Amino acid sequence: MADQHAPSPVDAPPSMVPALRWDEPPEGPVLVLLDQTRLPVEEVELVCTDVPALVGAIRTLAVRGAPLLGIAGAYGVALAAARGFDVDDAAQSLAGARPTAVNLGYGVRRALEAYRRALDASGDLASAAAGALAEARRLHREDAEGSAAMGAAGLALLDELLPGGNHRILTHCNTGALVSGGDGTAFAVALAAHRAGRLRRLWVDETRPLLQGARLTAYEAARNGMAYTLLTDSAAGSLFAAGEVDAVLIGADRIAADGSVANKVGSYPLAVLARYHHVPFVVVAPTTTIDPDTADGASIEVEQRPGQEVTEVMAPQTAGAEVGGALPVAPLGTQAYNPAFDITPPELVTALVTEHGALSPVTGSGIADLCARSRPATIG
Ligand SMILES: CSC[C@@H](O)[C@@H](O)C(=O)COP(=O)(O)O
């Protein structure tokens, strides 16, 4: 079951309600999510007391973005264990809630393996639940550390690619603190540039159809006092043509073994534009987003979302309102093509920034080296 805490005002910078937190009120453990469907209108927390509520929050994008999905999945297993639900069933439904972001299954697997290890060692369900929770907390912490490392490595790369600073960066979707235990992925690099006084402007793609850029990235940029400008996705071409973009920074939902990158739909057109205009196109993602078991871009499952997300515009829900209204923007019965992600081939990616630094060019062997460095340290 999910219910809602009292909202807090959005104009109270600098601290933001955490994207996700574990809590243990007297009634039992809960996972508390900042409901991203309500932003930027209001900060409302969604309290999940069971796994179906969390799966619902994942499907509706109340909680979203690859790294945070992994963290949420791990805490979901811990929640099921702590509340005495069937942990294997919970893991299965969590891992299947969305198909593209590899971190979701990764986080679920880590907590499940920790649960099983603790159960084998102790034979005791309470110890097993504690093991799953400790692993979720570890993943949460690692993500924050990885985010700081990516911010620093990404800024060093920008300084190398664009000597002189004063960067004008275009970004797509939302990749900041709302998707992470830390400052995020691509957004963490822009924020590091801002903090170092080297960000002239952050160009924020609105990111149709669910407006993660307009609703969430603009919100995070404003809270951090960054100079930012919002644009429609289709305005990006003219911005490149005018010479106003120095680099593109995006995140990733899954990176295949050949270096192909699945990210929010609209990323691939930006990569094509960037190549045509000789602008660096940089992907920023933790190594947990690399999936060595998926050979190439064509093998990545791309989530298809309901057509209504395109044929209707949702008014954000506000506290006190019965429902957020849906306004039709196409004739009744119109069919819509609505993939959540697209695939950018590695040859269009200038560099991949992970917590281990920048990989450039992005090749299958470079990806394999990164996996060899990271996997044993992070799994298990
Ligand atoms: C660090 S976040 C990287 C990606 O997860 C992000 O760019 C993205 O595509 C998120 O999609 P969403 O559908 O909002 O979950």
Side-chain angles (χ1 to χ4, degrees):
M1 274 195 41
D3 67 84
Q4 281 152 5
H5 278 170
S8 62
V10 283
D11 55 352
S15 70
M16 186 172 73
V17 172
L20 171 158
R21 65 188 171 85
W22 179 265
D23 197 11
E24 295 187 358
E27 316 80 68
V30 291
L31 187 61
V32 184
L33 311 172
L34 173 58
D35 184 348
Q36 298 192 26
T37 66
R38 310 286 283 259
L39 293 173
V41 177
E42 57 192 353
E43 289 182 351
V44 176
E45 289 191 327
L46 199 59
V47 182
C48 297
T49 57
D50 59 27
V51 167
L54 178 57
V55 168
I58 291 172
R59 292 213 169 110
T60 57
L61 310 197
V63 58
R64 48 153 292 285
L68 193 70
L69 286 172
I71 295 166
Y75 278 114
V77 171
L79 182 66
R83 289 209 168 238
F85 298 118
D86 185 312
V87 173
D88 289 305
D89 275 3
Q92 201 175 1
S93 67
L94 284 163
R98 290 189 77 190
T100 306
V102 69
N103 294 66
L104 177 56
Y106 173 79
V108 166
R109 202 169 65 245
R110 269 188 56 170
L112 185 61
E113 285 171 5
Y115 173 86
R116 287 182 180 148
R117 271 198 312 275
L119 190 58
D120 285 349
S122 66
D124 164 44
L125 289 173
S127 304
L133 180 58
E135 192 64 20
R137 289 195 159 125
R138 193 169 303 127
L139 179 61
H140 203 168
R141 229 178 14 252
E142 283 172 13
D143 186 71
E145 289 159 9
S147 173
M150 285 184 283
L155 179 57
L157 176 74
L158 281 185
D159 288 345
E160 193 185 312
L161 293 171
L162 310 165
N166 227 7
H167 311 308
R168 295 164 303 175
I169 292 168
L170 175 66
T171 193
H172 191 67
C173 199
N174 171 257
T175 62
L178 288 168
V179 301
S180 166
D183 288 333
T185 59
F187 189 86
V189 177
L191 191 55
H194 166 68
R195 288 178 178 149
R198 296 206 282 285
L199 180 73
R200 181 157 25 138
R201 183 142 305 270
L202 184 65
W203 297 112
V204 179
D205 254 12
E206 65 172 357
T207 315
R208 284 283 297 154
L210 294 180
L211 303 176
Q212 287 93 333
R215 294 187 304 104
L216 308 176
T217 301
Y219 172 77
E220 291 201 49
R223 292 192 81 104
N224 283 288
M226 298 159 85
Y228 75 95
T229 301
L230 183 65
L231 60 143
T232 59
D233 299 356
S234 46
S238 56
L239 200 61
F240 277 97
E244 294 284 334
V245 182
D246 298 320
V248 179
L249 293 178
I250 63 157
D253 283 83
R254 186 179 298 243
I255 299 172
D258 72 341
S260 295
V261 175
N263 191 54
K264 178 54 57 191
V265 67
S267 298
Y268 170 58
L270 288 177
V272 175
L273 275 170
R275 177 55 53 94
Y276 183 77
H277 291 282
H278 310 289
V279 166
F281 182 88
V282 177
V283 176
V284 187
T287 47
T288 51
T289 301
I290 298 174
D291 174 15
D293 298 329
T294 296
D296 52 26
S299 312
I300 297 176
E301 183 182 350
V302 172
E303 176 184 4
Q304 300 294 321
R305 303 277 306 172
Q308 290 98 304
E309 291 178 351
V310 178
T311 59
E312 297 173 354
V313 172
M314 293 297 295
Q317 296 199 351
T318 53
E322 292 273 306
V323 280
L327 179 70
V329 290
L332 206 67
T334 298
Q335 287 191 4
Y337 168 61
N338 189 21
F341 305 100
D342 60 23
I343 312 290
T344 299
E347 59 272 20
L348 293 182
V349 179
T350 309
L352 167 63
V353 175
T354 71
E355 69 275 22
H356 297 303
L359 171 69
S360 178
V362 178
T363 58
S365 60
I367 293 284
D369 286 348
L370 271 175
C371 289
R373 283 177 73 182
S374 320
R375 293 280 141 166
T378 50
I379 298 185

